[in-house]
Amino acid sequence: MSSRRGTPTGSICSNSAVTGEIRLQGIPAAPGVVVGRIRILCKARMSEAVQPRRPAYGNLPRVNDNREAHGTGEGVNSALATLSDAVEATRTDIKQTMERLAQRTTTGEEAEILATHLLVLDDPEFIGHIKHEIRDNKRDPHEAVVIAAEAIARELEALEDEYLKARAQDIRDVAERVLSHLDIGPGAPCQDAATCLDFGPGTVVVAEDLGPYDIMRFPPENVIGFVTEKGSATSHSAILARGLGFPSVVGAVGITAVATGLEGKSILLDGDTGVVLLNPSPVSLESYGPRIEESAKRRSQGSLHLQSRERRVVTADGVTIEIAANVGSMQDAKLAAQVGANGIGLLRTELLFVGRDSEPTEDEQYEALANIVSIMPERRTVIRTLDAGGDKKIPYIDLSPEGNPFLGTRGIRLTLAHPAIFKRQLRAILRAACHGRVAVMFPMVATVEEVRQAKSLVREAREELRRAGFKVPDIEVGIMIEVPCAALIADILAREVDFFSIGTNDLVQYVLAVDRLNPRVSPMYQPLHPALVRLIQRTVEAAHEAGIWVGMCGEMAGDISATELLVGLGLDELSVAVSSIENIREVISKISSGSARELARRCLQCSSETEVRALLSRGGPCSSFP
């Protein structure tokens, strides 16, 4: 077998004559192994889009023209009208994409990102800056969008707050969507991945980078996976790939150069280990054969093994672990029921509030929640109260500007600051509890006082409903452990609630002071850092000592490389994207709880994430992968 490893510098520019296997190592982003045909996506960048070309509005002078730089002539009005049409077309496009996703999504992340993009379109600073460039600097709409978006994005990137820096990409993503709807003349770069290429069956997309919007628009009947040069396993794109069931690898340096000249040739990508094989040899195909067949089987069934009833999950030595689903819509819940999930471990409610001009009424919330609860009435549905603030702005909830919103008024802080809104949601949740087994969960809890205030409002909401003639059952009340201080006082908080759910996404970045969406520090985002392992252990022990159950609903719960460790640490429940449920079940069925506890004990003695991962790779159920 002829085998070569692609160089990190991407020095191989043409491989048209290559017949041997080429191996690249990237970062595993979404599980599964697929073999398909290479399609290279050369996605135009904003910086390229601003290169001179025929102006769409030739009567608009440039800034350096010797003409009056101000005025509102016919050309300006025409340009503003065209901009308005493009913005509205973008808004419609995003909403239609949300509707399409509702028919196939397995996570609420996609809709949350698109809802954020809708808010960008309504941002007066963004739209106002574009109009300023048209009115005052006589830019054509295309140039105005690029210049305004880049100016705002660079301002965000220059801030000290790492979270706000990462929001620059949202601005650029929305700008690209607006550009795709502008008439910018012949020679314009293709802005839409869904129309740039004719994706045939069995396509594996190869690209320098992909944005969330690109991935959401891939035709699922043809695209079976993707691999990129850039990106991290914690990026929005990677999270969406996992939710939508696209096996994927990111950070495969040099992949586009290596793949040049191999368009349509065979490629194998292993989303579990990060291995990418171009022109895979017969030996490799045979070695990967069983896993390729298993991934194909799951994909042919919509990435799910459909079941008509709940499936219990037990370790090899008989310990039961509940595997629940993270959902954001009724379609998600239906898929969770079909796959036999043990319940819904996280029902996001933010989507009821975003993308609209006013707060949803209590009845609207009740109807939406009741419909979801009714899908699996005998299985527990954990409803998280409004987790807004930070990255999730609600336009009709008045929030003063904050220098660091990610550490500001968000989660439980926001709802306690708006008790009327909070109580309307609580009443809707309590009413929905008449249709099934419901639990309520509060996000971003940091203090005992917050828990007690929230519980007091639950009692008030219950009494108001009873006085109004509603029959209101008792429900479990829990909190998310995603703030370090909550993990440190877990023994105290456990006396106040019925359960914990560990939200690892925020907990990791708060403990390590790392923004998981910032590519410059993303390597420091380490979910298996010994500090996190110890906080999880502390939380689990505190919960069990108080006689309450503890689950995990963050990204770490769906990471099969960490499953044995989590079982060993004593988690009672793992709540994951629906597309990950079968993989987690399979791994757990091969685990001995006794061996898992010993593995956890050894991991707790490690001094770095590298040591933890080394232990997991040697002792875990995934160590036999090719």
Side-chain angles (χ1 to χ4, degrees):
M1 177 182 69
S2 174
S3 178
R4 293 193 293 169
R5 184 178 298 275
T7 61
T9 58
S11 59
I12 301 176
C13 297
S14 178
N15 292 299
S16 57
V18 171
T19 57
E21 177 181 282
I22 301 172
R23 178 187 177 98
L24 288 173
Q25 180 64 53
I27 302 169
V33 181
V34 293
V35 174
R37 299 294 174 184
I38 298 170
R39 295 309 303 268
I40 301 175
L41 176 61
C42 297
K43 188 172 181 291
R45 292 289 172 229
M46 297 258 296
S47 58
E48 298 168 348
V50 80
Q51 294 300 316
R53 58 174 59 86
R54 180 184 66 80
Y57 300 89
N59 60 332
L60 292 180
R62 301 298 183 195
V63 170
N64 58 0
D65 283 352
N66 294 321
R67 304 188 193 181
E68 180 66 31
H70 296 276
T72 56
E74 183 178 345
V76 170
N77 289 334
S78 177
L80 291 173
T82 298
L83 171 67
S84 178
D85 290 343
V87 169
E88 286 307 309
T90 301
R91 182 178 285 106
T92 299
D93 193 13
I94 293 173
K95 289 181 177 180
Q96 288 176 345
T97 302
M98 293 175 76
E99 292 173 0
R100 287 195 299 272
L101 285 171
Q103 302 304 313
R104 68 182 178 101
T105 181
T106 58
T107 175
E109 293 279 358
E110 304 93 330
E112 288 186 19
I113 292 171
L114 288 178
T116 299
H117 288 185
L118 287 175
L119 295 179
V120 171
L121 283 178
D122 294 328
D123 184 351
E125 180 181 1
F126 176 56
I127 300 300
H129 197 148
I130 299 173
K131 291 180 178 179
H132 163 73
E133 291 294 334
I134 293 174
R135 287 195 187 107
D136 299 338
N137 292 336
K138 301 301 189 289
R139 304 282 187 183
D140 68 62
H142 169 260
E143 274 193 316
V145 169
V146 173
I147 291 170
E150 279 301 298
I152 296 173
R154 287 169 183 165
E155 284 180 6
L156 290 170
E157 289 173 333
L159 297 174
E160 292 184 3
D161 183 87
E162 294 296 341
Y163 173 77
L164 292 177
K165 287 181 181 180
R167 301 288 66 76
Q169 189 56 47
D170 288 327
I171 298 294
R172 291 190 174 105
D173 286 343
V174 172
E176 287 189 356
R177 303 275 58 79
V178 175
L179 287 174
S180 71
H181 289 288
L182 281 171
D183 176 14
I184 56 178
C190 183
Q191 298 288 342
D192 190 346
T195 57
C196 283
L197 291 176
D198 178 16
F199 295 114
T203 292
V204 173
V205 176
V206 174
E208 178 186 357
D209 198 7
L210 292 171
Y213 198 86
D214 300 318
I215 296 167
M216 287 185 278
R217 292 175 71 89
F218 285 155
E221 66 277 11
N222 289 340
V223 175
I224 61 174
F226 67 83
V227 54
T228 63
E229 291 208 25
K230 299 180 179 179
S232 71
T234 58
S235 67
H236 271 162
S237 296
I239 292 171
L240 295 182
R242 289 190 286 274
L244 292 169
F246 286 123
S248 56
V249 174
V250 299
V253 179
I255 184 66
T256 52
V258 173
T260 300
L262 295 177
E263 191 93 10
K265 300 295 184 181
S266 181
I267 182 173
L268 182 152
L269 72 84
D270 183 349
D272 298 312
T273 66
V275 171
V276 180
L277 302 179
L278 295 89
N279 281 328
S281 69
V283 173
S284 293
L285 291 174
E286 182 179 0
S287 174
Y288 276 92
R291 295 176 59 211
I292 293 171
E293 292 177 6
E294 180 65 20
S295 292
K297 179 181 178 182
R298 291 174 184 169
R299 185 167 183 81
S300 69
Q301 296 176 331
S303 299
L304 304 171
H305 288 302
L306 301 184
Q307 301 291 327
S308 60
R309 57 187 177 82
E310 183 179 12
R311 293 178 62 191
R312 307 308 301 176
V313 183
V314 296
T315 64
D317 54 347
V319 175
T320 299
I321 308 292
E322 289 195 353
I323 306 300
N326 295 339
V327 308
S329 68
M330 187 163 65
Q331 180 67 18
D332 294 352
K334 289 180 179 178
L335 292 171
Q338 290 174 329
V339 78
N342 299 140
I344 295 173
L346 170 62
L347 172 55
R348 302 176 179 92
T349 60
E350 294 74 57
L351 299 184
L352 298 175
F353 289 78
V354 299
R356 52 185 297 151
D357 299 324
S358 60
E359 177 195 351
T361 66
E362 178 184 321
D363 286 342
E364 287 175 325
Q365 294 182 63
Y366 157 71
E367 182 177 355
L369 296 175
N371 286 337
I372 292 175
V373 171
S374 298
I375 292 171
M376 294 186 285
E378 75 288 354
R379 308 175 212 174
R380 180 170 50 220
T381 295
V382 178
I383 302 176
R384 184 178 68 186
T385 57
L386 179 61
D387 188 14
D391 59 331
K392 303 167 186 172
K393 303 294 185 184
I394 308 294
Y396 48 85
I397 297 180
D398 183 26
L399 278 176
S400 302
E402 296 178 305
N404 193 341
F406 217 56
L407 298 178
T409 310
R410 56 176 304 219
I412 192 67
R413 301 171 186 174
L414 175 67
T415 49
L416 288 176
H418 296 81
I421 293 176
F422 194 14
K423 200 182 292 185
R424 279 189 286 272
Q425 183 178 42
L426 292 173
R427 284 197 296 264
I429 292 171
L430 289 167
R431 289 170 61 186
C434 294
H435 298 270
R437 185 182 172 194
V438 167
V440 64
M441 178 167 68
F442 308 127
M444 295 301 297
V445 166
T447 68
V448 172
E449 288 77 15
E450 289 171 337
V451 178
R452 291 172 180 168
Q453 290 177 49
K455 288 168 60 180
S456 177
L457 288 174
V458 171
R459 288 192 295 270
E460 289 181 19
R462 179 182 289 110
E463 288 306 312
E464 290 173 4
L465 289 172
R466 285 175 175 169
R467 287 197 298 269
F470 290 96
K471 181 181 178 181
V472 185
D474 290 330
I475 63 174
E476 289 181 288
V477 175
I479 62 173
M480 292 191 70
I481 301 293
E482 50 190 339
V483 178
C485 65
L488 292 172
I489 61 168
D491 57 329
I492 300 173
L493 294 172
R495 304 169 196 159
E496 301 286 336
V497 296
D498 300 308
F499 67 92
F500 289 154
S501 185
I502 302 174
T504 54
N505 297 5
D506 276 324
L507 185 60
V508 174
Q509 64 181 358
Y510 283 138
V511 169
L512 300 179
V514 171
D515 181 354
R516 66 192 178 103
L517 302 180
N518 181 350
R520 284 184 287 181
V521 296
S522 60
M524 299 172 63
Y525 183 88
Q526 301 175 351
L528 293 174
H529 189 287
L532 271 299
V533 178
R534 293 183 182 190
L535 284 180
I536 293 170
Q537 179 205 33
R538 185 188 186 102
T539 301
V540 172
E541 289 182 348
H544 290 170
E545 287 175 5
I548 66 174
W549 64 271
V550 56
M552 177 181 288
C553 61
E555 281 290 306
M556 187 176 177
D559 180 358
I560 59 175
S561 69
T563 303
E564 186 169 9
L565 171 60
L566 298 180
V567 171
L569 289 172
L571 272 294
D572 302 300
E573 177 212 67
L574 299 177
S575 188
V576 301
V578 178
S579 59
S580 298
I581 287 178
E582 192 61 32
N583 277 345
I584 298 295
R585 277 199 188 113
E586 183 178 351
V587 171
I588 289 177
S589 69
K590 299 175 182 178
I591 291 173
S592 161
S593 63
S595 298
R597 286 192 295 272
E598 173 60 20
L599 177 66
R601 185 190 66 78
R602 295 171 64 193
C603 288
L604 287 164
Q605 297 173 351
C606 291
S607 59
S608 68
E609 186 187 54
T610 301
E611 292 181 9
V612 173
R613 289 197 178 277
L615 273 178
L616 298 184
S617 64
R618 289 197 298 269
C622 305
S623 58
S624 61
F625 283 177

